[in-house]
Amino acid sequence: MLTFTSYTVENVRDPFGILSGKRYEFVINLDVPEDDELYEENGISARVIVKVEEEQTSIVSYDLLETTSGRILDFDMEEDEEAALVLFCTEHLPA
């Protein structure tokens, strides 16, 4: 089970107005147990782009990163982890 420890969120600007809905970029620090395959000694972060359209929030894309180096990790989250990520982002959208 993932634990979200801290995060930042920014509005993704669409200067040409070609994207539907609003986009936000979250960078979320994760606390991953040592026995999890995602575990990295230097920490794990998720960089997530979410789309909000008509009260629906969905993940457009995400990358898992080693926190200290920013190196992209070649892992995918499980469905329940992705669902938890969407819920976290939905609850922490800027007002």
Side-chain angles (χ1 to χ4, degrees):
M1 181 71 181
L2 297 177
T3 303
F4 307 113
T5 58
S6 63
Y7 73 98
T8 61
V9 61
E10 293 182 17
N11 184 25
V12 176
R13 294 177 29 105
D14 179 18
F16 301 106
I18 58 175
L19 299 173
S20 64
K22 293 185 177 186
R23 303 282 195 289
Y24 298 94
E25 178 183 48
F26 282 82
V27 176
I28 305 167
N29 292 320
L30 307 174
D31 183 19
V32 179
E34 286 187 33
D35 61 345
D36 192 303
E37 68 178 3
L38 288 177
Y39 179 79
E40 289 282 331
E41 186 175 325
N42 293 322
I44 298 285
S45 299
R47 182 176 53 214
V48 185
I49 304 296
V50 295
K51 173 179 149 181
V52 179
E53 186 171 30
E54 298 179 12
E55 306 299 316
Q56 289 282 20
T57 303
S58 59
I59 293 176
V60 174
S61 67
Y62 72 86
D63 291 311
L64 296 173
L65 312 166
E66 182 185 46
T67 301
T68 56
S69 70
R71 177 177 55 94
I72 295 177
L73 303 173
D74 190 24
F75 288 104
D76 289 325
M77 292 183 156
E78 295 178 6
E79 285 183 31
D80 61 328
E81 293 170 331
E82 285 185 23
L85 195 59
V86 169
L87 181 61
F88 179 87
C89 291
T90 300
E91 292 173 348
H92 294 89
L93 287 169

